[in-house]
Amino acid sequence: MKEMANKALRLGIIGAVAALLLAVVNNFTEPVIAERMTRELTEALTVLAAGGTPGAVETEPAPGVPQRWPIKGGKGWILELTGTGYGGPMTIVASYDTGGTVMVARLMGNNETVGFGKKAEDSSYMKIFVGTGGNRPVPRTKADLGADADTVAGATVTFSGITDALRAGSELVQEWEGR
Amino acid sequence: MERLPLVTTSPQIHAPGSTRRVMGWVLAALVPAAVWSIVLFGWRAALVITASVAAAVITEGLLNLAFKRENTLNDLSAVVTGVLIGFNMPPEVPVFIPVVASVFAIAVVKWSFGGLGSNWMNPALAGRVFVFFSWGTDMTRWTLPGIGGADAVSGPTPLGSVKLALSDLSAGIDGPMRLLESAGMPTTYLDLFLGRIPGSLGEMSALLLIIGGLLLIILKIVNWEIPVAYIGSFALFMWAFDGMQYGGGIFSGDVLFHLFTGGLMLGALFMATDMVTSPLTLKGRIIFGLGCGLFTFVIRRFGNLPEGVSLAIIFMNILVSLIDRFMKPTRYGVVS
Amino acid sequence: MNKFKTFTRGGIHPPEGKGSTSNKPIRNAPLPAVAVVPFSQHIGAPAKPLVEPGDHVEEGQLIGEPAGFVSASVHSPIPGTVKEIKNLYLPSGIKTTAAVIELDGEFSRLGKPILTRDWSVMAKDEILDILKQHGVVGQGGATFPSHVKFSVPKGRTCEVFLVNAAECEPYLSADHRVMLEHTEDIVEGIRIIKKLLDPERIVIGVEVNKPDAIEKLKAAGAADGIEVMPLKVKYPQGAEKNLIEAILDREVPSGKLPIEVGVINANVGTLVSVCEAVRDDKPVIERVVTIAGGAIAQPGNIRARVGSSIQDLIEECGGLAEEPEKFVSGGPLMGFTFIDLDSPVTKGTSGILALTKKEVQSFAATACLSCGRCVKACPMGLVPTTIFKNIEHERLDDATAFGLDDCVLCGACAYVCPSHIPLISAFKAARGRKRRLAAMNKG
Amino acid sequence: MTYIGIIITYVFVSNLVLSQFLGLCPFIGVSKNTESAVGMGFAVTFVMSLATLITWALQHFILVPLNIVFLQTVTFILVIASLVQLVEMVVRKYSPPLYQALGIYLPLITTNCGVLGIALISVNESYGPMESFIAGLSAGIGFLIALLFMSGIRERLDTEKVPKHLKGTPIAFISGGLMALAFMAFDRALLTNLIGG
Amino acid sequence: MKGLFKGLLKENPIFVLALGLCPALAVSTTVNNALGMSAATLIVLIGSNLVISSLRKHIPDDIHIPAYIVIIAAFVTLVDMTMQAYFPALSKSLGIFIPLIVVNCIILGRAEAFASKNTIGASVIDAIAMGVGFTVGLTAIALVREVLGAGTITIFPDGGVIRIPGLADKPALVFAFPAGALIVVGFLQAFFRWLGEVTNK
Ligand SMILES: Cc1cc2nc3c(=O)[nH]c(=O)nc-3n(C[C@H](O)[C@H](O)[C@H](O)COP(=O)(O)O)c2cc1C
Ligand SMILES: Cc1cc2nc3c(=O)[nH]c(=O)nc-3n(C[C@H](O)[C@H](O)[C@H](O)COP(=O)(O)O)c2cc1C
Ligand SMILES: Cc1cc2nc3c(=O)[nH]c(=O)nc-3n(C[C@H](O)[C@H](O)[C@H](O)COP(=O)(O)O)c2cc1C
Ligand SMILES: Cc1cc2nc3c(=O)[nH]c(=O)nc-3n(C[C@H](O)[C@H](O)[C@H](O)CO)c2cc1C
Ligand code: SF4
Ligand code: SF4
Ligand code: SF4
Ligand code: SF4
Ligand code: FES
């Protein structure tokens, strides 16, 4: 019995020391991690705001839009959108001016295939949507792309998922802006 | 007597036949389809097929040399693999792709396991799937066949078009043929049967493949069990469940469309039947064929990959050893 | 379709090749000037020689006596003088001693009237003893001593006596001719065995490619309640286990003898020998041999004395028309090749074949394609390629588990194999190795 | 995701071994023959199902409320190790035949990263308790299937003419690679279409 | 010195012992990941070997497994947190394979087989030997996979990327997937076997 207690005690000590150590280290790293994450978010939003300043976040302003941020001074909106790609749901963030025209767009979380849909993560891929949505409609099919069609070749599903989401975003913005 | 008679173990006589003869007949049965693909796609088809055969043969020859194994080129199995790889390529494929497929097939899938007879996965199909997943865009660029192939126009395969068109299907279209029509690709069953549709080089004409396949079955080079079980179960599944996508009920699928498009005939007659990578016994082969049919159906009906036949067969290849293990013949005088 | 019975698993249909001999009556071979008589012409212990060089022997004199229970007597086929006792290899590869007898003196039996005994008054033991004294052994291939085979072990009964008249091997027609020309002897042989075994049924299994024999046997055996069962042509119908399955739908359990399922079977040639031994008091000193194959000028069936040289028999059939690829003793599927044409005919020699290159179709082995043809051909329901590969990789235990010991070495698998895999030679070698290992473990 | 979706995901689409790189050591180490492969497969399935359930509880009732998620790795692996011990004891006591069959594999499971892996994945995917359990169960079945297929192939390879240096584990890896190639048939698009329509 | 070399060839954990495979394969898509993973593993190996060998007289036999696990897990978590804080990109691409170092058979295996029986100095040397062997194995796999599967060699994600002309435009993507990884390991293993044989002669 005494031996058992002895062993339990030793194990307990090892455990406690380990837990304590981790708690201490966690104390240092947690704020660093948290701070880095907010910094990354603001950096991203600043890029998206295309010169403007992002405002406070709102959640679930509309179905299919988990989050949105106004761009201060009524210059437009930054939306988090969801689309359906080849590998299931994809997260897309995009900023629109008040006319519903895409200013900047990024493909974030996704399960697309490396070499196929994944190439949509490249900024050059998303450039083909910039400037569409307002006066120029968001491209619907590959045929609408003209010279850019090659960029999306081999990944039509991803392409449709992204363009559907962006179009929906544009329509929402126009609705909010009362057009 | 000038020379001594042979001393051999029984049996003293053998049925006529040899590996070389078996492979030779397979090649002969593939000739009509090869000729037809050259007619349809021109010199490019010849180039692709030649390149894959050459790569397969050279790889096998070099490996034999490098590892001091006896020369196995005479058995012609590497040529069969090469031809089938060529057959599985789209016409406009960059030539390095069939070459890599052949090298992978022979070096990795066949030689690593011990060469002819020792591999458990179909080399040509593994090679084809390998390059498909590596260079998918190049492997899905199709051209419309035209006699001579001179002014080939690019376009998706019927299966591909149907998949695309299905995604924004409007009401009132009752099957794949109507769907093709509405997608601006009017096609008749005869077109499908004769290969006047985009597709891989060797899978163009169901007719020529069936003729070749029947020849092999009649000559008893291949067994009937796998093609019959494969094509039969696949047709049944398609008939039963494919109509539903078009708003039809059960048993309203367009079987003919599915039988004559894509690589089904090539796969079922020439690739699932590779004896090295299919089961040893009759029961086993029927199970294998049924499995191929089921998976081809599932991948074609639900998947986005244009690869139903290849993937279904190599998936079933995995199961062959287990099938052989459990589907042994009942032994004489042994009660289990 | 299934009018005729056959066994269920496997089987093959090689070209029959019997046409050139089956319609020709049996001819007598000339008497040999020198007879080489091996003391080991049967399964079991070799006979113990009773003669020495210089001894004079009579036609049919006992020159070797059984050395043990499973052994058989050997008789001199001709009158003459023993020149020497020498060692030689039989075509089967068996090494044996043999008496070389030079013809000289009177034939005591040849041309003399046959003395007929009334065996119905004899006791069973007496009949068995006659079989033993007269050197009767099975002529269907295994040459098992008949006096042993027809002694039913205690606690067993023989329900069915099967007569193996399948003669499924290509080219051979000796049994066929014997059935046509010695029908009455066969039936008499059956009557003798019937007395020994007292079976409920007697069935003769004959393949339908011998319709004349079927008719004759039916007519001759009807009075004795002998059933004649026509069987589909398929090799190896004559292998006893498959014959039992074909006719009775019973399977002899793995590793057991046919008596386990109440069956004893014998070849038609054996029955003629039984009849001659018991009724005519004649030892086994001659047998019918088929001489055939594409290289033989005038193929036929020949009644030859044991110990005759094969060369003489071939000469008797017009010699060689072309150069043969192989000489085979026995049928082409189970027989053995040999080179020495001076080899003697033994009690078990059913045929001598001189096969041409075209008939033989031999190629160097290539890799197994797993085509499954061997599986489809195997009458025992085995997977020959798997057994082979296990042997090749030194896995004798696995090979045994897959049925190495159940294989009857019929050769059907190797016959159909497109890769010419040496299946049978591997099986034989592996069994030999197993036997040696077992002996080593014992000793 | 529906339960069916989770099952198809972890048996085929995200098969631990063939598409997630988890549990490879036993996949190579215990696949030499079918009997041991099946034994190991069942043992793993059993432990995985329980482990995902228990770690779910641990995460939601202890780590998160006490704000000590940084102890996740330590506590999860301890739970799994004790679970394996416990299972071993219980099975030995109450089912000797099962112990005979599974016993030798149980200790090996502690260092099978598949178990910890699926526990962490379930937490990352924010599955509920039942979903976690199903995920563990189907991941185990996926592992069992991969192991069974592999053992069949390796038994065949035992009697093939594999070149000397490739014999054993190298050719097992290559076979595993080819299996994974075939499993690429089961992609997410197939899954979505299957359970969605 | 000999101790160091055995980890490289004769007892190379990945190629000869076939241990610790999952992290090796999962993260070996780029050389950079492989190096990061190796470093993490090396730190955990050294740390746990050090602690375990110094505590070896104080840990009773029948609780040694849980005790070792706790020690190893603590080191792993430590590395994990540090990486998240200071190497976020690497941490993201290594994902759950960092916590999974806990069950890396090499670490527990060395703790049991070596550190529990040897002095601190010897244990650290052993840890380094095994860690270096792991690093070599992992980097070899990553090198082959990245060159074939991406046409690049990434030593540092920013600026340290070597592009291989031709391959970089049309890489054989399969090598980035598990299928390619397993095939590469198979051939590398055979290659190391052959190398072992040749160097032994
Ligand atoms: C391995 C593999 C991965 C794929 N991944 C994607 C993908 O991420 N996104 C996508 O839209 N299509 C993907 N596809 C689907 C095909 O490329 C499909 O043919 C294509 O979407 C059709 O578009 P296309 O007409 O532009 O070739 C993938 C196919 C394969 C074989
Ligand atoms: C493959 C094979 C084929 C055989 N074919 C025959 C045959 O056609 N006729 C025959 O009498 N015995 C044949 N036998 C021999 C029989 O199995 C059995 O030994 C014989 O019929 C017993 O009779 P016996 O003792 O009178 O020789 C064959 C044996 C084997 C293994
Ligand atoms: C070692 C041995 C022992 C035998 N013992 C008996 C026996 O006791 N009783 C019997 O009826 N047959 C016996 N036989 C004969 C078999 O039943 C059978 O006829 C013989 O094996 C030949 O068959 P086969 O030509 O098909 O191989 C024995 C055979 C052998 C080889
Ligand atoms: C009927 C038949 C079909 C064959 N099919 C294929 C095939 O689909 N792919 C392939 O690589 N080789 C095929 N071969 C050739 C050969 O059997 C194959 O390469 C072996 O798998 C090599 O061990 C075939 C051979 C025959 C006789
Ligand atoms: S080879 Fe066959 S028939 Fe001849 S003795 Fe052996 S088992 Fe009997
Ligand atoms: S020698 Fe031939 S025909 Fe005669 S019994 Fe044997 S196998 Fe049958
Ligand atoms: S020799 Fe043996 S394995 Fe071959 S077919 Fe005959 S019984 Fe079957
Ligand atoms: S018949 Fe020959 S090639 Fe075919 S499976 Fe049997 S042994 Fe192999
Ligand atoms: S099982 Fe994954 S590292 Fe060993």
Side-chain angles (χ1 to χ4, degrees):
Chain A
M1 201 54 228
K2 217 170 129 198
E3 208 187 325
M4 275 284 275
N6 182 340
K7 284 176 193 163
L9 186 68
R10 285 169 194 237
L11 203 53
I13 293 175
I14 294 175
V17 171
L20 197 70
L21 187 77
L22 292 180
V24 172
V25 175
N26 188 46
N27 243 349
F28 286 103
T29 55
E30 200 174 57
V32 179
I33 296 169
E35 189 207 327
R36 202 195 69 238
M37 280 167 81
T38 35
R39 198 182 57 230
E40 278 175 7
L41 182 65
T42 30
E43 273 170 13
L45 287 176
T46 317
V47 173
L48 280 163
T53 322
V57 65
E58 288 170 62
T59 44
E60 207 64 63
V65 186
Q67 296 186 310
R68 79 168 179 195
W69 297 261
I71 301 175
K72 281 188 183 152
K75 286 189 185 154
W77 299 89
I78 301 173
L79 305 188
E80 182 185 329
L81 300 158
T82 48
T84 309
Y86 183 79
M90 306 181 288
T91 305
I92 299 139
V93 289
S95 55
Y96 296 87
D97 67 11
T98 50
T101 307
V102 177
M103 299 192 291
V104 184
R106 285 267 181 288
L107 175 65
M108 308 298 285
N110 65 77
N111 271 321
E112 303 306 278
T113 328
V114 187
F116 290 81
K118 264 279 193 273
K119 63 190 172 188
E121 285 183 1
D122 296 351
S123 50
S124 60
Y125 182 98
M126 289 307 227
K127 280 217 182 83
I128 57 180
F129 300 108
V130 173
T132 65
N135 306 326
R136 206 143 61 83
V138 178
R140 203 177 255 277
T141 64
K142 280 203 290 188
D144 300 342
L145 288 174
D148 282 331
D150 248 14
T151 325
V152 308
T156 310
V157 184
T158 314
F159 170 73
S160 326
I162 295 173
T163 153
D164 287 349
L166 290 177
R167 192 167 345 102
S170 169
E171 281 159 13
L172 274 175
V173 168
Q174 297 183 25
E175 196 179 297
W176 295 330
E177 297 289 341
R179 299 193 183 208
Chain B
M1 230 174 293
E2 295 120 56
R3 75 199 152 94
L4 284 179
L6 294 182
V7 177
T8 48
T9 318
S10 63
Q12 310 302 355
I13 55 172
H14 293 271
S18 65
T19 309
R20 194 182 153 85
R21 195 185 92 110
V22 168
M23 299 297 163
W25 275 114
V26 174
L27 290 173
L30 289 169
V31 163
V35 170
W36 186 232
S37 79
I38 295 171
V39 170
L40 289 177
F41 295 110
W43 64 274
R44 204 86 220 147
L47 174 70
V48 168
I49 296 173
T50 315
S52 50
V53 172
V57 169
I58 292 172
T59 308
E60 179 142 323
L62 286 182
L63 283 170
N64 285 340
L65 273 184
F67 291 89
K68 301 195 182 73
R69 293 200 156 199
E70 66 186 289
N71 174 27
T72 50
L73 294 181
N74 288 333
D75 66 32
L76 297 180
S77 67
V79 181
V80 174
T81 300
V83 170
L84 288 171
I85 287 177
F87 272 27
N88 271 294
M89 294 291 145
E92 293 297 316
V93 72
V95 172
F96 83 91
I97 290 184
V99 169
V100 172
S102 287
V103 173
F104 183 83
I106 299 290
V108 175
V109 188
K110 184 174 168 189
W111 177 83
S112 310
F113 291 86
L116 177 66
S118 297
N119 52 300
W120 61 264
M121 186 178 266
N122 188 317
L125 286 176
R128 135 93 148 160
V129 170
F130 176 86
V131 295
F132 175 78
F133 283 117
S134 285
W135 299 284
T137 325
D138 290 308
M139 288 292 291
T140 46
R141 194 172 294 135
W142 308 103
T143 38
L144 275 173
I147 305 288
D151 42 25
V153 198
S154 174
T157 64
L159 277 176
S161 317
V162 165
K163 270 250 134 43
L164 277 182
L166 259 176
S167 54
D168 33 44
L169 174 66
S170 49
I173 287 186
D174 59 2
M177 299 301 276
R178 289 279 294 280
L179 204 58
L180 282 178
E181 203 179 316
S182 74
M185 268 192 72
T187 309
T188 64
Y189 289 116
L190 195 66
D191 291 338
L192 299 179
F193 198 57
L194 297 179
R196 292 196 292 247
I197 46 171
S200 293
L201 290 176
E203 67 192 31
M204 297 312 299
S205 167
L207 176 68
L208 295 176
L209 292 170
I210 292 172
I211 291 174
L214 280 180
L215 175 74
L216 294 186
I217 292 177
I218 289 166
L219 288 171
K220 300 212 159 129
I221 303 265
V222 307
N223 293 290
W224 57 267
E225 295 99 85
I226 292 175
V228 168
Y230 188 167
I231 298 172
S233 62
F234 173 78
L236 193 70
F237 284 123
M238 276 297 173
W239 180 48
F241 302 117
D242 195 51
M244 292 163 177
Q245 309 190 70
Y246 307 97
I250 199 161
F251 298 119
S252 67
D254 186 341
V255 174
L256 285 184
F257 173 80
H258 282 288
L259 285 186
F260 300 140
T261 45
L264 184 76
M265 286 298 160
L266 185 63
L269 290 167
F270 291 93
M271 310 196 73
T273 50
D274 174 16
M275 42 277 252
V276 174
T277 53
S278 57
L280 279 168
T281 61
L282 184 137
K283 271 184 286 180
R285 284 191 285 260
I286 289 183
I287 294 177
F288 179 83
L290 293 178
C292 289
L294 172 67
F295 279 102
T296 307
F297 160 74
V298 168
I299 298 171
R300 257 204 202 171
R301 168 71 177 74
F302 300 106
N304 280 7
L305 300 178
E307 284 305 284
V309 172
S310 318
L311 287 165
I313 296 175
I314 64 171
F315 179 78
M316 287 308 292
N317 284 163
I318 297 177
L319 297 180
V320 167
S321 322
L322 286 175
I323 294 177
D324 276 340
R325 186 190 160 101
F326 292 106
M327 289 297 131
K328 285 202 284 267
T330 48
R331 274 166 62 178
Y332 180 106
V334 177
V335 266
S336 45
Chain C
M1 238 197 84
N2 288 326
K3 228 169 81 199
F4 302 110
K5 289 192 163 187
T6 186
F7 52 99
T8 51
R9 299 172 185 78
I12 55 173
H13 302 275
E16 290 177 26
K18 295 181 193 260
S20 63
T21 55
S22 61
N23 50 8
K24 294 189 196 148
I26 301 171
R27 285 181 285 151
N28 284 322
L31 295 163
V34 178
V36 180
V37 188
F39 289 104
S40 184
Q41 301 183 35
H42 50 266
I43 274 195
K48 198 172 96 206
L50 299 174
V51 290
E52 284 175 7
D55 288 0
H56 182 81
V57 293
E58 295 293 323
E59 179 190 16
Q61 178 184 329
L62 186 70
I63 58 169
E65 66 177 0
F69 183 57
V70 183
S71 185
S73 311
V74 173
H75 303 81
S76 174
I78 50 172
T81 314
V82 178
K83 282 286 159 195
E84 58 170 326
I85 305 287
K86 69 169 186 185
N87 283 322
L88 62 88
Y89 285 93
L90 296 177
S92 58
I94 288 170
K95 188 183 174 193
T96 176
T97 53
V100 181
I101 301 169
E102 216 175 74
L103 179 65
D104 110 46
E106 289 284 300
F107 280 88
S108 46
R109 293 167 176 275
L110 194 67
K112 306 270 157 66
I114 294 166
L115 126 138
T116 315
R117 293 195 286 203
D118 179 12
W119 51 268
S120 63
V121 298
M122 295 180 190
K124 286 186 188 179
D125 283 352
E126 215 175 321
I127 295 177
L128 286 171
D129 197 52
I130 292 175
L131 298 182
K132 184 173 176 183
Q133 293 309 325
H134 287 65
V136 180
V137 301
Q139 290 176 10
T143 56
F144 192 78
S146 298
H147 63 280
V148 183
K149 188 172 200 168
F150 297 125
S151 327
V152 182
K154 274 214 179 62
R156 303 265 179 221
T157 46
C158 172
E159 290 169 35
V160 186
F161 177 55
L162 276 190
V163 179
N164 189 342
E167 196 162 55
C168 55
E169 279 255 22
Y171 294 98
L172 302 188
S173 62
D175 285 357
H176 186 180
R177 290 314 308 177
V178 167
M179 284 187 267
L180 292 176
E181 298 176 34
H182 293 267
T183 325
E184 197 38 54
D185 295 345
I186 294 173
V187 173
E188 184 73 358
I190 293 175
R191 292 191 194 108
I192 297 171
I193 301 302
K194 186 174 172 186
K195 170 159 182 161
L196 286 179
L197 302 178
D198 194 21
E200 290 160 24
R201 283 178 73 190
I202 298 167
V203 187
I204 306 180
V206 198
E207 289 192 341
V208 290
N209 56 1
K210 308 183 238 316
D212 44 356
I214 295 174
E215 286 314 311
K216 265 197 117 157
L217 286 168
K218 268 191 181 154
D224 293 274
I226 298 170
E227 302 165 47
V228 178
M229 179 87 70
L231 302 167
K232 235 190 226 171
V233 179
K234 186 161 86 170
Y235 178 84
Q237 191 96 254
E240 64 183 8
K241 290 186 171 179
N242 300 101
L243 189 73
I244 290 169
E245 190 203 350
I247 296 180
L248 302 172
D249 207 12
R250 296 182 196 175
E251 289 185 13
V252 182
S254 165
K256 295 287 190 332
L257 293 169
I259 193 69
E260 194 78 12
V261 289
V263 179
I264 287 183
N265 85 102
N267 169 261
V268 285
T270 313
L271 289 168
V272 173
S273 296
V274 167
C275 164
E276 290 177 346
V278 176
R279 186 189 63 189
D280 309 341
D281 192 20
K282 180 181 162 193
V284 183
I285 53 171
E286 60 182 15
R287 71 154 295 146
V288 179
V289 184
T290 302
I291 313 287
I296 299 283
Q298 296 152 18
N301 282 297
I302 291 199
R303 182 176 294 104
R305 294 272 156 140
V306 167
S308 310
S309 98
I310 287 171
Q311 177 80 54
D312 289 351
L313 303 194
I314 294 177
E315 293 304 328
E316 179 60 21
C317 291
L320 296 173
E322 60 180 284
E323 193 174 325
E325 184 83 350
K326 288 179 184 175
F327 287 108
V328 177
S329 164
L333 285 154
M334 292 201 54
F336 303 92
T337 50
F338 61 94
I339 297 182
D340 183 5
L341 289 182
D342 292 332
S343 296
V345 168
T346 66
K347 294 178 194 174
T349 309
S350 50
I352 300 293
L353 309 176
L355 300 172
T356 61
K357 198 171 174 125
K358 188 159 165 281
E359 291 169 296
V360 164
Q361 294 275 345
S362 71
F363 288 90
T366 48
C368 168
L369 296 173
S370 301
C371 67
R373 290 191 198 177
C374 55
V375 185
K376 207 169 160 195
C378 180
M380 301 304 285
L382 305 174
V383 183
T385 168
T386 307
I387 302 179
F388 175 81
K389 285 180 179 171
N390 278 293
I391 294 171
E392 220 186 4
H393 284 77
E394 309 281 325
R395 294 162 167 258
L396 281 187
D397 289 346
D398 288 329
T400 307
F402 281 112
L404 174 60
D405 295 337
D406 282 344
C407 163
V408 297
L409 299 170
C410 68
C413 51
Y415 173 80
V416 295
C417 176
S419 302
H420 298 270
I421 309 272
L423 295 160
I424 306 302
S425 84
F427 298 167
K428 285 184 176 170
R431 287 214 210 162
R433 208 152 75 233
K434 272 184 67 177
R435 236 177 285 129
R436 280 195 297 282
L437 280 176
M440 250 164 58
N441 288 346
K442 242 192 227 159
Chain D
M1 214 188 292
T2 59
Y3 295 143
I4 297 286
I6 293 181
I7 292 172
I8 298 177
T9 304
Y10 291 106
V11 175
F12 292 110
V13 181
S14 302
N15 184 290
L16 284 195
V17 180
L18 296 173
S19 70
Q20 303 257 63
F21 295 108
L22 291 171
L24 287 169
C25 306
F27 178 63
I28 298 299
V30 199
S31 56
K32 287 193 197 80
N33 69 65
T34 307
E35 281 74 25
S36 53
V38 171
M40 181 69 172
F42 276 114
V44 166
T45 308
F46 191 62
V47 172
M48 277 186 184
S49 328
L50 284 183
T52 41
L53 196 60
I54 297 177
T55 51
W56 179 87
L58 185 65
Q59 174 83 5
H60 291 269
F61 296 132
I62 299 178
L63 298 181
V64 173
L66 296 183
N67 199 16
I68 48 168
V69 180
F70 61 86
L71 287 182
Q72 195 186 50
T73 311
V74 181
T75 48
F76 276 24
I77 187 66
L78 271 180
V79 163
I80 291 169
S82 346
L83 185 67
V84 172
Q85 284 282 315
L86 194 77
V87 169
E88 191 178 347
M89 270 155 43
V90 171
V91 171
R92 186 181 349 209
K93 181 133 190 228
Y94 293 104
S95 176
L98 192 63
Y99 184 74
Q100 280 282 318
L102 301 187
I104 48 169
Y105 306 112
L106 282 166
L108 290 174
I109 296 175
T110 318
T111 52
N112 177 343
C113 63
V115 183
L116 182 59
I118 189 67
L120 290 173
I121 290 174
S122 300
V123 168
N124 287 352
E125 298 274 331
S126 344
Y127 287 152
M130 193 59 194
E131 285 172 323
S132 296
F133 173 75
I134 302 268
L137 178 70
S138 31
I141 294 172
F143 179 79
L144 169 68
I145 286 181
L147 208 61
L148 177 66
F149 290 178
M150 185 64 154
S151 66
I153 289 169
R154 286 185 76 176
E155 280 185 357
R156 167 171 178 175
L157 291 180
D158 277 346
T159 57
E160 297 292 1
K161 302 175 208 118
V162 180
K164 186 173 110 200
H165 292 104
L166 284 160
K167 271 212 174 74
T169 50
I171 201 66
F173 273 111
I174 296 170
S175 297
L178 295 178
M179 272 169 76
L181 195 65
F183 265 70
M184 286 173 86
F186 306 110
D187 61 358
R188 284 198 183 273
L190 180 71
L191 176 73
T192 319
N193 295 345
L194 246 181
I195 57 178
Chain E
M1 247 1 243
K2 246 168 106 192
L4 271 178
F5 274 115
K6 85 179 177 208
L8 264 185
L9 258 180
K10 269 205 205 87
E11 284 183 29
N12 187 295
I14 294 181
F15 295 133
V16 180
L17 307 178
L19 292 177
L21 296 167
C22 307
L25 294 184
V27 306
S28 59
T29 40
T30 69
V31 175
N32 174 59
N33 282 354
L35 292 173
M37 187 67 184
S38 302
T41 309
L42 190 64
I43 292 169
V44 176
L45 249 171
I46 297 178
S48 54
N49 259 19
L50 186 93
V51 171
I52 287 168
S53 65
S54 51
L55 290 183
R56 69 183 188 279
K57 302 223 170 72
H58 305 285
I59 302 176
D61 220 31
D62 38 1
I63 58 160
H64 75 281
I65 299 258
Y68 293 176
I69 289 180
V70 171
I71 295 167
I72 296 169
F75 274 105
V76 169
T77 314
L78 216 87
V79 170
D80 192 11
M81 294 191 300
T82 318
M83 275 205 172
Q84 277 185 34
Y86 302 105
F87 305 96
L90 191 60
S91 163
K92 200 171 159 231
S93 54
L94 300 186
I96 65 165
F97 287 94
I98 292 289
L100 283 177
I101 295 177
V102 174
V103 277
N104 187 325
C105 328
I106 302 172
I107 296 177
L108 194 63
R110 284 337 271 182
E112 280 213 50
F114 204 90
S116 61
K117 304 189 186 92
N118 285 287
T119 61
I120 302 180
S123 302
V124 171
I125 302 254
D126 181 69
I128 296 176
M130 281 295 140
V132 168
F134 186 74
T135 309
V136 168
L138 197 52
T139 316
I141 299 173
L143 197 67
V144 176
R145 285 185 67 192
E146 196 185 345
V147 167
L148 297 176
T152 54
I153 302 174
T154 312
I155 298 165
F156 305 105
D158 307 303
V161 186
I162 302 166
R163 281 173 64 86
I164 292 150
L167 258 179
D169 302 319
K170 283 195 181 285
L173 281 183
V174 167
F175 288 106
F177 298 121
L182 291 163
I183 291 171
V184 168
V185 178
F187 281 110
L188 280 176
Q189 231 181 33
F191 175 73
F192 267 65
R193 266 193 197 177
W194 172 82
L195 204 65
E197 249 172 49
V198 171
T199 51
N200 254 357
K201 270 180 206 154

